[in-house]
Amino acid sequence: MDIMETYGEFVANTYARFPICLIGGKGAELFDENGKLYIDLGSGIAVNTFGATDEKWQQAVTDQAKRLQHASNLYYTGPSGELARMLCEKTGMKKVFFSNSGAEANECAIKAARRYSFLKYGEGRHTIITLKNSFHGRTITTLAATGQETFHTVFGPFTEGFKFAEPNDPSSLRSLTESGDCAAIMMEMIQGEGGIYNLSREFVEEAKRISDKKDILLIIDEVQTGNGRTGKLYSYMHYGFMPDIVTTAKGLGGGLPIGATLLGEKLKDTLIPGSHGSTFGGNPICCAGALSILSRLDSKLMEEVTHKSEYIISELIGSKGVKSISGMGLMLGIECERPVKDIIAGCIEKGVLVLSAKEKVRLLPPLTISYDELKKAVAILKEEIAV
Ligand SMILES: *Cc1c(COP(=O)(O)O)cnc(C)c1O
């Protein structure tokens, strides 16, 4: 039985997979079981920050695997403490809770926000406002937080206490925060799964103003936008404000599962022993990998991300079949005349892996992709868009 047949028989059918079985790679180059090469403009959905099998990351991970793979949170281990310190030093946040995924990072943010509000204001002030068209994860609670009706069927009853504001409409945010039952506002600075939609400066400033005035916590979901993806360490940094909570995952581990919930000044003492936990959270191998990634997301690399972004945009803007380009840094959405599934299939045929987000082509290449690879891949993408 070959690999795809085995999946067909034994793996839960939750994904519409492309008929490719990837078995290896180096940087932005991947190869499948038949030896066919691909240039990767998806990074396993913004996960492989430095591409496949990055040597420094590999060294950090294997060194830790040889030392100790897990110890439980009943004891101290080295890497998670180091990683928490580095995250706090680079952001100004005060404490970090580690989990294993983006959904769990958001679960922790929701729990921390509700606990903060409960301890300070008592019962009932628990509503969390998120945005229409957002995506916050696949657990029952993070689905409830996700502002898309299609996710709110079949699996009910869902967690209560979420309301949805219209993105980029400050008046919608104002009216939803008037009732006094609001604990937090949670949002992505660029809606990823929703189709790469950037929040406007005006909207973000209004959210911050309301948050400051009413002690409504501002939670920024940086699961996809974080860890250098947009040309800053975290995308909120483009807007010049301090969130109360930042959640991240995907690119932080460079390919290993990790989630992190960064708690600001107001929340630094909110979580106490027994209030939250995770068996694998802070796993030393995942944290060693993340330390290798995070320590190299410096201003030089961020400039490189910005330049590569400018290159992609300059190649595609005004090119045949391209209607618009959204996003920031190496998180770009390209609205095309041709159906996105045909473009993806055409690119695969020619050895380029791209993603979709709703109706758009979505690009999330490794931050370290070479200009040579980028040039080749963008030329092929341009051809396929123009068909
Ligand atoms: C992917 C994603 C999540 C969910 O992350 P998982 O690791 O799949 O649980 C949450 N929020 C955003 C913005 C995402 O892009």
Side-chain angles (χ1 to χ4, degrees):
M1 208 186 269
D2 76 5
I3 293 168
M4 289 178 211
E5 280 171 10
T6 309
Y7 268 60
E9 192 154 337
F10 297 110
V11 177
N13 191 24
T14 51
Y15 306 101
R17 295 176 206 268
F18 295 102
I20 302 171
C21 177
L22 295 167
I23 58 167
K26 185 84 225 152
E29 189 173 75
L30 302 176
F31 57 90
D32 69 14
E33 56 182 340
N34 305 312
K36 180 171 172 178
L37 296 175
Y38 300 88
I39 301 173
D40 176 22
L41 300 185
S43 311
I45 319 189
V47 166
N48 295 341
T49 307
F50 290 166
T53 61
D54 172 76
E55 270 165 32
K56 286 189 176 129
W57 174 87
Q58 213 170 38
Q59 192 67 53
V61 165
T62 52
D63 282 354
Q64 184 59 44
K66 286 176 193 163
R67 228 174 279 132
L68 182 63
Q69 79 276 27
H70 173 81
S72 95
N73 284 308
L74 297 173
Y75 312 104
Y76 295 89
T77 53
S80 63
E82 271 304 300
L83 181 61
R85 173 171 43 184
M86 198 180 285
L87 283 165
C88 289
E89 283 174 356
K90 284 175 178 274
T91 60
M93 302 300 277
K94 301 298 180 198
K95 291 276 175 80
V96 182
F97 178 84
F98 290 114
S99 53
N100 317 287
S101 67
E104 286 171 275
N106 286 336
E107 284 272 349
C108 174
I110 292 162
K111 282 181 72 176
R114 285 189 170 173
R115 187 174 157 85
Y116 171 87
S117 190
F118 182 93
L119 295 179
K120 199 160 167 186
Y121 301 99
E123 219 163 321
R125 190 183 177 276
H126 56 239
T127 300
I128 296 182
I129 295 178
T130 69
L131 303 186
K132 288 184 185 159
N133 198 45
S134 59
F135 182 81
H136 296 296
R138 295 283 191 168
T139 64
I140 291 287
T141 294
T142 55
L143 279 179
T146 291
Q148 302 186 51
E149 278 314 306
T150 48
F151 289 106
H152 298 163
T153 59
V154 179
F155 304 111
F158 290 90
T159 307
E160 288 173 29
F162 293 93
K163 286 182 186 165
F164 309 105
E166 203 64 59
N168 290 342
D169 177 0
S171 69
S172 151
L173 214 48
R174 275 194 297 274
S175 66
L176 285 175
T177 47
E178 251 154 33
S179 50
D181 66 341
C182 221
I185 299 168
M186 176 156 94
M187 58 197 195
E188 307 154 85
M189 308 308 288
I190 304 169
Q191 296 189 327
E193 301 306 309
I196 316 292
Y197 289 101
N198 304 38
L199 290 188
S200 69
R201 205 159 277 278
E202 185 202 1
F203 182 78
V204 174
E205 279 164 9
E206 183 65 4
K208 178 63 180 157
R209 206 188 57 77
I210 293 169
S211 157
D212 286 343
K213 191 171 147 213
K214 304 194 169 179
D215 194 19
I216 292 171
L217 302 169
L218 204 46
I219 305 170
I220 305 302
D221 180 339
E222 296 269 6
V223 172
Q224 190 161 157
T225 50
N227 311 300
R229 179 56 48 194
T230 67
K232 297 256 191 206
L233 184 57
Y234 292 102
S235 64
Y236 74 81
M237 293 171 174
H238 290 284
Y239 294 76
F241 70 99
M242 274 297 276
D244 296 299
I245 305 179
V246 176
T247 64
T248 193
K250 289 193 169 91
L252 178 60
L256 286 173
I258 184 169
T261 307
L262 282 56
L263 305 166
E265 184 64 38
K266 283 185 182 176
L267 290 118
K268 64 178 200 271
D269 301 318
T270 299
L271 297 179
I272 59 163
S275 61
H276 198 42
S278 163
T279 298
F280 284 115
N283 173 272
I285 297 178
C286 299
C287 289
L291 270 168
S292 162
I293 300 294
L294 191 63
S295 64
R296 287 182 283 158
L297 298 176
D298 55 14
S299 56
K300 189 164 159 287
L301 180 58
M302 294 305 95
E303 265 172 48
E304 204 179 299
V305 167
T306 306
H307 284 142
K308 286 171 183 169
S309 177
E310 286 162 3
Y311 170 76
I312 298 171
I313 293 168
S314 70
E315 279 297 304
L316 293 177
I317 198 91
S319 154
K320 184 166 179 259
V322 173
K323 282 159 73 177
S324 72
I325 303 179
S326 57
M328 241 191 263
L330 291 177
M331 176 174 180
L332 295 173
I334 306 154
E335 187 192 6
C336 305
E337 279 159 22
R338 194 178 174 209
V340 61
K341 68 171 195 344
D342 297 347
I343 297 171
I344 292 178
C347 284
I348 286 178
E349 193 62 37
K350 292 179 176 167
V352 174
L353 300 181
V354 299
L355 306 167
S356 65
K358 293 279 171 70
E359 73 289 358
K360 291 182 192 168
V361 172
R362 173 171 44 161
L363 305 183
L364 298 164
L367 306 186
T368 47
I369 188 171
S370 71
Y371 275 100
D372 208 38
E373 289 164 327
L374 197 57
K375 247 178 160 163
K376 270 193 227 162
V378 170
I380 288 170
L381 175 60
K382 209 164 152 176
E383 267 173 33
E384 284 304 313
I385 292 173
V387 167

